[in-house]
């Protein structure tokens, strides 16, 4: 009784305190914006407060992060537009071509402001509160005017995990009052820093690939709106002036004239305010529009004016930092600048709302009737691995890309991705057809076109990402339009007649879904074997890598058949069974060529000295994709760990591994000889090259050395005459920022099981290692290297000709797997995951 009375009283008093007045961020938080780093949940509270008080602001939770923080966005409109919001949204989808029908005559522009994709670029979320408040502040006559024809959407924080990681760090270490010297601890974030999300992914590289939960949730709501203008707020080095549009070259060819023109108009409007205040800024440099997975390019390729704005500061900035000029740069300055450009962008859009809407509609119409790219249709052959087809079609659904089957087959001609030549081929009604006469026309072009023109090779990111190579698909690019006549029908697995108690189960091993299934079997303590030679049984051919689950060795499991069959059905695996281990052709099931797969206990190095991105990729791959346990060993205590407890040790990319001194290398070498499997990735390799006990060597022959020295001398002389203004170009000739190369695979080796004779690698580094003299050269660049797609500096191709990409060294009872290219790069290179999985589960099992 007493308790009930108490809670009633409590409710009553809370209601009494409920706010009925709109508060500014200062009033709500109890401090001035810029005095502190506000934690994410308080910002969410503030947005909810505004939603509660004002009828024309709606805050929606659109997702939840891995660490269970809410992802929210606010829609802010005039009361008139707010009453009409659903109509405005649907009108816009009609203009984009996403929804059928004719839009109303009402022309309302939509501006979307995205903050804090990089967590430690921490002023953004503070600026979002000020921007929200000023848009609805009753005494702000200007913004009231803007909202008459413009709806504003604010995502205050794309990356709450990273933002709180940074804020917590700063709040713990910041001096009071703040120390402006860069020497102070408060300016030096510890590994991994606050830039990335929970799994240490850079969310500003993930818009197109959607490997992360935040991106998946955001893309869904983004495509419910199709805004006309999108700003992605960032921070850069603390000495830099502010950067805003227009963007730098290269700009992808699919970007329309209007998109270019309005970027300049927006930039000039921003400049007006910066000029008034005397603030420095730059435009048209550094930040290009090319790689399609950014917060500026993804919106751009979907019809928006997509832009990046960059304020000086970042994780080094703290509450105050002394710049090169000796002046303090404060959090208050930083958020004021972001606030200024945000409102200025809303203003210029509002001033041109009618044109913005008309141009958007024109963009949609052009896409539907006259798309301006040479390749009009992409064909994914129907006989590709069905898992890959299902995966890529599901992914296309999330981006509203339309596809299907042609209603009739025919002979036609197109660019063949497997041979990189234009060939005749037969289009069948089983093939998947994607033409570019649709709303996501230009996005599709950037993802599938055989070559993208690079108007300037000085780009910020990788220069190739083609999905046909990414998934390793048989496919074609056609200059002609092929229409979709029938809806896509996914291939399903028929397991209707499976023998109840067979001698053995047989499963094909052709892609990542098969690895996932293997991981699940091992996780359930099912004993599995891997065949190393192709075999034929009952008229069916099975390739090396095929998985066998024999009754023998699994007798201990009372529910064995049920577990295997249920799991296979759950994972949509085709179940083959046999009543005999006597094969028609190849090796019998009891042969020494059939390996028992011991469920590996996997450890990965994690922490300072490792690349946080690659460490995160490994973490995410095991946890979120394979659902297989992994133990992350901190670099600071790695030496104290007994490696014998583990079967696999993964060394991620890393710069300057101080950890691998002589004694540690010896310890690892001994562990490998005793049966351990060491997997080393990309620049992690330099710690093992030419070290005692390891076969890896940089690429050198005496003749080459002399030749290289001669060439280098010549080049130096030539380069010595490089004009000062061309210095950046000179550097580029030595580098590769990401291009696709064809790798010859030895698919008889377990590292290449489930793969084809070739693998398309996304090369993102200039590492050059020679073929292993004592080991298996499973993946190599044979002969002269030339990218299949993308840009590589002139000297790089020479360097990586005849070089190692993937190799395996056998050492005592164990093995070392050298992965020169990172197959898990941003976790979007689908075919690479198979190589990595083989390294973990299949290599070295006997
Ligand atoms: Zn950034």
């Amino acid at each position: 009784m007493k308790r009930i009375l108490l809670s009633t009283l409590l409710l009553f008093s809370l209601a009494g305190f409920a706010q009925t007045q709109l508060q500014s961020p200062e009033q709500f938080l109890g401090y001035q914006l810029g005095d502190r780093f506000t934690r994410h949940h308080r910002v969410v509270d503030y947005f909810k407060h505004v939603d509660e008080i004002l009828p024309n602001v709606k805050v929606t939770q659109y997702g939840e992060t891995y660490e269970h923080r809410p992802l929210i966005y606010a829609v802010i409109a005039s009361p008139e537009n707010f009453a009409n919001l659903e109509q405005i949204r649907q009108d816009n989808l009609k203009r984009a071509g996403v929804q059928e029908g004719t839009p109303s005559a009402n022309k309302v522009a939509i501006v979307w402001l995205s903050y804090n994709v990089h967590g430690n670029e921490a002023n953004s979320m503070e600026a979002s509160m000020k921007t929200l408040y000023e848009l609805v502040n009753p005494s702000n006559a200007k913004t009231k005017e803007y909202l008459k024809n413009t709806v504003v959407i604010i995502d205050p924080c794309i990356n709450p995990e990273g933002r709180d990681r940074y804020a917590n760090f700063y709040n713990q270490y910041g001096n009071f009052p703040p120390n402006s010297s860069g020497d102070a601890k408060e300016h030096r974030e510890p590994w991994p820093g606050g830039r990335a999300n929970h799994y240490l992914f850079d969310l500003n590289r993930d818009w197109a690939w959607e490997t992360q939960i935040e991106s998946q949730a955001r893309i869904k709501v983004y495509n419910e709106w199709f805004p006309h203008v999108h700003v992605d707020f960032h921070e850069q080095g603390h000495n830099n002036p502010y950067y805003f549009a227009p963007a730098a070259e290269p700009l992808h060819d699919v970007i329309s004239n209007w998109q270019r023109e309005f970027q300049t108009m927006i930039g000039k409007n921003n400049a007006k305010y910066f000029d008034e205040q005397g603030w420095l800024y730059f435009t048209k440099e550094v930040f290009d529009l090319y790689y399609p997975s950014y917060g500026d390019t993804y919106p751009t390729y979907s019809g928006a004016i997509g832009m990046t704005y960059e304020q000086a500061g970042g994780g080094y900035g703290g509450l105050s930092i002394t710049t090169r000029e000796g002046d303090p740069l404060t959090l208050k300055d930083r958020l004021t600048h972001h606030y200024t450009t945000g409102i200025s962008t809303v203003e210029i859009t509002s001033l041109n709302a009618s044109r913005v809407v008309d141009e958007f509609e024109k963009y949609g119409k052009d896409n539907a009737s006259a798309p301006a790219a040479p390749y009009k249709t992409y064909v994914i052959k129907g006989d590709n691995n069905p898992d890959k087809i299902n995966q890529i079609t599901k992914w296309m659904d999330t981006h509203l890309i339309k596809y299907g089957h042609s209603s009739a087959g025919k002979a036609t001609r197109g660019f063949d991705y497997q041979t990189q030549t234009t060939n005749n081929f037969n289009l069948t009604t089983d093939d998947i057809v994607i033409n570019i006469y649709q709303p996501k026309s230009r996005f599709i072009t950037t993802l599938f076109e055989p070559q993208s023109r690079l108007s300037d090779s000085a780009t910020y990111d990788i220069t190739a990402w083609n999905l046909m190579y990414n998934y390793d698909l048989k496919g074609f690019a056609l200059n002609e339009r092929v229409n979709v006549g029938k809806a896509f029908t996914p291939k399903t697995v028929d397991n209707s007649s499976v023998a109840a108690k067979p001698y053995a189960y047989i499963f094909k091993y052709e892609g990542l879904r098969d690895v996932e299934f293997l991981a699940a079997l091992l996780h359930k303590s099912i004993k599995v074997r891997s065949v190393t030679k192709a075999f034929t049984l009952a008229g069916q051919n099975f390739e090396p890598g095929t998985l066998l689950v024999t009754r023998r060795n699994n007798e201990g499991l009372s529910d064995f058949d049920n577990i295997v069959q249920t799991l296979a059905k759950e994972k949509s695996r085709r179940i083959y069974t046999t009543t005999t281990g006597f094969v028609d052709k190849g090796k019998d099931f009891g042969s020494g060529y059939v390996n028992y797969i011991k469920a590996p206990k996997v450890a990965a190095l994690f922490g300072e000295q490792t690349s946080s991105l690659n460490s995160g990729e490994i973490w995410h791959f095991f946890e979120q994709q394979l659902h297989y346990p992994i133990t992350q060993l901190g670099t600071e205590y790695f030496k104290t760990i007994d490696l014998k407890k583990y079967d696999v040790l993964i060394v991620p990319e890393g710069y300057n591994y101080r950890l691998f001194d002589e004694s540690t290398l010896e310890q690892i070498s001994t562990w490998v000889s005793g049966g351990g499997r060491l997997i080393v990735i990309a620049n992690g390799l330099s710690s093992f090259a030419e070290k005692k006990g390891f076969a890896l060597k940089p690429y050198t022959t005496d003749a080459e050395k002399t030749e290289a020295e001669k060439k280098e001398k010549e080049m130096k002389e030539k380069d010595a005459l490089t004009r000062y203004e061309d210095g950046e170009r000179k550097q580029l000739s030595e580098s590769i920022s990401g291009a696709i190369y064809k790798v010859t695979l030895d698919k008889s080796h377990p590292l290449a099981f489930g793969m084809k004779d070739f693998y398309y690698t996304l090369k993102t580094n200039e590492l050059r290692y020679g073929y292993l003299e004592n080991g298996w050269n499973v993946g190599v660049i044979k002969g002269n290297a030339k990218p299949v797609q993308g840009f590589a500096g002139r000297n790089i191709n020479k360097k990586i000709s005849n070089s190692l990409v993937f190799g395996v060294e056998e050492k005592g009872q164990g093995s070392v797997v050298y992965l020169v290219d990172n197959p898990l790069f941003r976790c979007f290179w689908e075919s690479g995951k198979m190589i990595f999985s083989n390294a973990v589960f299949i290599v070295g099992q006997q």
Side-chain angles (χ1 to χ4, degrees):
M1 192 67 192
K2 213 173 162 188
R3 277 173 72 170
I4 292 169
L5 187 68
L6 195 67
S7 56
T8 314
L9 276 172
L10 198 66
L11 268 176
F12 180 76
S13 58
L14 276 176
F17 282 123
Q19 291 298 331
T20 51
Q21 282 284 312
L22 177 67
Q23 294 186 313
S24 67
E26 289 77 8
Q27 288 165 334
F28 185 85
L29 298 166
Y31 53 87
Q32 294 276 318
L33 283 182
D35 283 353
R36 292 184 204 169
F37 288 105
T38 312
R39 283 189 179 85
H40 179 255
H41 71 100
R42 291 298 286 155
V43 178
V44 173
D45 289 346
Y46 182 65
F47 271 68
K48 282 186 181 161
H49 159 75
V50 177
D51 170 304
E52 274 158 27
I53 301 300
L54 297 178
N56 58 324
V57 173
K58 188 173 118 196
V59 173
T60 308
Q61 180 173 345
Y62 68 87
E64 189 182 89
T65 64
Y66 291 107
E67 294 173 18
H68 312 294
R69 290 182 178 85
L71 293 160
I72 61 162
Y73 73 99
V75 181
I76 304 117
S78 66
E80 297 72 30
N81 285 334
F82 196 87
N84 216 6
L85 211 52
E86 188 50 18
Q87 159 119 47
I88 291 169
R89 191 181 73 83
Q90 292 198 22
D91 275 351
N92 198 47
L93 295 182
K94 287 171 189 165
R95 289 188 176 103
V98 173
Q99 197 168 303
E100 296 279 309
T102 314
S104 74
N106 193 11
K107 289 180 188 171
V108 179
I110 303 166
V111 176
W112 185 306
L113 306 174
S114 288
Y115 295 89
N116 245 133
V117 62
H118 292 142
N120 58 0
E121 298 171 5
N123 102 65
S124 285
M125 203 169 69
E126 311 291 335
S128 80
M129 288 187 277
K130 185 170 171 66
T131 308
L132 170 69
Y133 178 69
E134 287 304 331
L135 284 170
V136 295
N137 180 355
S139 60
N140 191 328
K142 282 186 177 171
T143 54
K144 205 170 283 166
E145 194 62 31
Y146 306 158
L147 290 183
K148 280 186 180 159
N149 61 10
T150 305
V151 169
V152 181
I153 298 176
I154 294 184
D155 183 337
C157 189
I158 288 183
N159 176 13
E161 250 84 290
R163 179 53 167 68
D164 270 2
R165 192 181 309 131
Y166 174 76
N168 288 339
F169 153 75
Y170 188 87
N171 293 341
Q172 285 169 25
Y173 290 96
N175 284 123
F176 184 79
N179 187 333
S180 293
S181 161
D183 292 348
K185 176 80 181 161
E186 65 184 74
H187 299 289
R188 309 291 178 122
E189 281 182 279
W191 191 97
R195 180 181 174 89
N197 76 341
H198 173 77
Y199 283 109
L200 309 182
F201 275 64
D202 183 337
L203 293 179
N204 192 33
R205 303 292 186 279
D206 194 48
W207 280 67
W209 321 130
E210 299 176 278
T211 68
Q212 302 301 295
I213 211 170
E214 294 91 341
S215 313
Q216 291 157 17
R218 181 178 357 98
I219 293 300
K220 188 166 182 294
V221 18
Y222 184 93
N223 285 326
E224 286 168 8
W225 283 93
F226 273 71
H228 306 129
V229 175
H230 180 265
V231 184
D232 200 33
F233 289 90
H234 288 261
E235 290 193 281
Q236 50 179 337
H238 71 289
N239 286 318
N240 290 348
Y242 198 98
Y243 164 83
F244 47 72
E249 291 289 344
L251 260 66
H252 197 285
D253 284 349
V254 297
I255 298 171
S256 75
N257 289 337
W258 164 248
Q259 286 175 317
R260 292 162 200 250
E261 186 188 334
F262 198 52
Q263 281 224 353
T264 304
M265 289 165 71
I266 293 171
K268 285 187 173 165
N269 205 55
N270 290 341
K272 187 179 80 184
Y273 292 102
F274 276 54
D275 290 342
E276 273 169 22
Q277 299 294 329
W279 298 334
L280 292 177
Y281 55 87
F282 67 99
T283 65
K284 306 180 284 285
E285 287 176 68
V286 187
F287 302 99
D288 58 70
L289 293 173
Y290 196 64
Y291 172 74
S293 204
Y294 285 132
D296 53 13
T297 46
Y298 182 85
T300 299
Y301 302 152
S302 305
I305 316 300
M307 297 170 296
T308 289
Y309 289 175
E310 298 265 357
Q311 161 62 39
Y316 199 72
L319 287 180
S320 176
I321 183 79
T322 305
T323 64
R324 183 173 44 212
E325 296 86 355
D327 296 325
L329 170 70
T330 65
L331 179 61
K332 194 160 282 179
D333 298 332
R334 288 152 60 192
L335 76 91
T336 306
H337 299 162
H338 266 358
Y339 158 74
T340 304
T341 53
I343 295 289
S344 155
T345 304
V346 174
E347 177 189 36
I348 188 75
T349 306
S350 167
L351 288 171
N352 295 278
S354 172
R355 174 133 193 239
V356 166
V357 174
D358 286 346
E359 291 285 355
F360 183 80
E361 189 166 348
K362 181 175 175 296
Y363 185 96
K365 283 187 175 143
D366 286 350
N367 286 340
S369 57
Y375 289 100
K376 307 295 187 206
T377 306
Y378 297 97
V379 171
I380 297 172
K381 292 300 288 174
D383 60 352
N384 280 291
N385 177 287
D387 290 329
K388 287 185 183 177
I389 290 182
N390 289 342
Q391 193 186 348
I392 199 169
T393 50
K394 271 191 195 140
W395 173 85
M396 287 196 285
D397 291 341
T398 67
H399 290 295
L400 309 185
I401 294 173
K402 298 177 197 165
Y403 57 88
H405 300 296
S406 155
S407 47
K410 65 170 180 174
T412 183
R413 198 170 165 73
F415 175 88
D416 178 346
Y417 290 89
Q418 291 292 314
T419 59
Q420 290 89 50
T421 52
T422 300
N423 290 328
N424 296 328
F425 76 101
N426 282 321
L427 175 79
T428 75
T429 53
D430 193 34
D431 296 344
I432 288 122
V433 167
I434 310 147
N435 71 42
I436 62 168
Y437 296 78
Q438 56 169 307
K440 289 287 177 130
S441 174
R442 302 178 208 223
F443 182 54
I444 296 168
T445 296
T446 66
L447 297 171
F448 286 103
E449 64 184 344
Q451 279 295 351
S452 302
R453 195 178 70 86
L454 203 55
S455 60
D456 189 318
S457 53
T459 169
Y460 200 62
D461 212 295
I462 58 172
T463 59
W465 45 79
N466 196 299
L467 291 183
M468 295 287 195
Y469 299 122
N470 173 335
Y471 282 82
D472 192 10
L473 293 167
K474 277 181 268 173
F476 293 86
L478 279 63
N479 294 119
E480 66 168 314
R481 174 180 185 166
V482 178
N483 287 329
V484 170
K486 291 186 300 182
F488 167 70
T489 37
K491 290 203 172 96
T492 49
V493 173
D494 180 15
N495 282 327
S496 51
S497 59
V498 178
K501 291 202 175 289
Y503 174 84
Y505 294 93
I506 310 170
F507 297 100
K508 295 205 170 183
Y509 185 79
E510 295 173 335
L512 201 64
R513 297 288 88 78
D514 302 314
V515 179
E516 234 182 271
F517 176 59
L518 167 65
L521 286 170
L522 296 177
H523 202 54
K524 292 230 185 251
S525 306
I526 303 282
K527 291 178 177 158
V528 187
R529 289 179 157 78
S530 165
V531 309
T532 60
K533 303 280 175 202
F535 69 93
T536 310
L537 187 64
Q540 182 80 37
N541 294 323
F542 294 94
E543 292 292 308
T546 296
L547 303 173
L548 301 181
V549 181
T550 54
R551 181 163 306 279
R552 181 78 188 118
N553 300 121
N554 283 305
E555 306 95 329
L557 291 163
S558 57
D559 213 12
F560 165 63
D561 293 281
N562 186 29
I563 297 174
V564 175
Q565 295 195 14
T566 306
L567 207 54
K569 284 172 189 167
E570 245 174 59
K571 303 267 178 197
S572 309
R573 295 306 88 191
R574 168 85 193 267
I575 304 171
Y576 299 88
T577 59
T578 175
T579 52
T580 175
F582 190 104
V583 302
D584 300 336
K585 220 165 88 186
K587 305 290 178 192
D588 294 329
F589 289 6
S591 157
Y593 288 97
V594 175
N595 291 336
Y596 168 62
I597 301 178
K598 183 185 173 214
K601 288 205 175 61
V602 184
L605 265 189
F606 192 83
E608 203 155 342
Q609 299 175 47
T610 70
S611 145
S612 62
L613 291 169
N614 193 209
S615 299
E617 286 155 3
I618 294 162
W619 184 12
H620 184 266
F621 183 66
F622 279 94
E623 256 178 41
Q624 295 292 332
Q625 299 178 62
L626 289 186
H627 313 290
Y628 192 82
I630 182 174
T631 304
Q632 281 144 307
L633 304 174
T635 43
E636 71 277 21
Y637 60 84
F638 172 73
K639 286 186 186 184
T640 68
I641 296 295
D642 178 9
L643 280 180
K644 287 204 245 14
K645 290 192 278 186
Y646 301 96
D647 303 297
V648 173
L649 172 66
I650 303 166
V651 176
E653 291 191 65
Y655 298 92
N656 192 16
Y657 267 120
R658 298 178 302 282
L659 176 69
F660 296 117
D661 53 22
E662 219 171 291
S663 77
T664 310
L665 284 175
E666 200 180 317
Q667 189 191 336
I668 293 174
S669 174
T670 309
W671 168 77
V672 172
S673 300
R677 187 146 71 255
L678 175 69
I679 302 171
V680 192
I681 303 174
N683 58 21
L685 291 168
S686 61
S687 299
F688 296 85
E690 290 188 294
K691 294 287 160 60
K692 195 178 144 208
F694 297 93
L696 187 71
K697 285 195 174 63
Y699 187 168
T700 41
T701 64
D702 287 346
E704 265 194 349
K705 242 182 185 169
T706 323
E707 179 70 3
E709 274 165 17
K710 203 178 118 207
K711 281 258 167 66
E712 198 176 332
K713 198 166 162 252
E714 281 171 17
M715 207 58 94
K716 265 191 186 150
E717 277 160 12
K718 209 172 139 200
D719 285 348
L721 298 174
T722 303
R723 283 173 59 83
Y724 180 69
E725 61 182 1
D726 295 332
E728 193 186 357
R729 308 279 141 203
K730 189 175 113 186
Q731 261 182 4
L732 279 172
S733 69
E734 305 290 338
S735 70
I736 184 168
S737 51
I740 300 170
Y741 288 81
K742 196 170 187 169
V743 172
T744 307
L745 285 184
D746 169 4
K747 66 173 194 175
S748 71
H749 192 281
L751 186 62
F753 282 177
M755 306 289 290
K756 298 183 190 144
D757 291 322
F758 294 99
Y759 165 70
Y760 293 97
T761 192
L762 180 63
K763 207 167 238 318
T764 57
N765 62 48
E766 296 102 58
L767 298 172
R768 183 202 202 200
Y769 292 102
Y771 297 160
L772 297 173
E773 283 169 26
N774 266 320
W776 303 108
N777 296 290
V778 185
V780 297
I781 293 186
K782 239 188 214 167
N784 290 336
K786 185 175 167 283
V788 168
Q789 192 179 35
F791 171 81
R794 61 185 146 98
N795 297 337
I796 282 299
N797 287 327
K798 257 182 234 158
K799 242 175 109 176
I800 59 173
S801 297
N802 295 309
S803 69
L804 181 73
V805 180
F806 304 128
V808 177
E809 176 190 356
E810 288 168 3
K811 232 168 94 71
Q813 301 295 305
S815 44
V816 186
V817 182
Y818 301 108
L819 305 175
V820 178
D821 292 345
N822 170 17
L824 297 182
F825 182 76
R826 294 180 190 165
C827 271
F828 89 105
W829 203 253
E830 289 304 323
S831 54
K833 294 175 187 172
M834 195 68 189
I835 297 271
F836 185 77
S837 303
N838 286 338
V840 172
F841 292 104
I842 311 293
V843 171
Q845 300 271 17
Q846 45 226 322

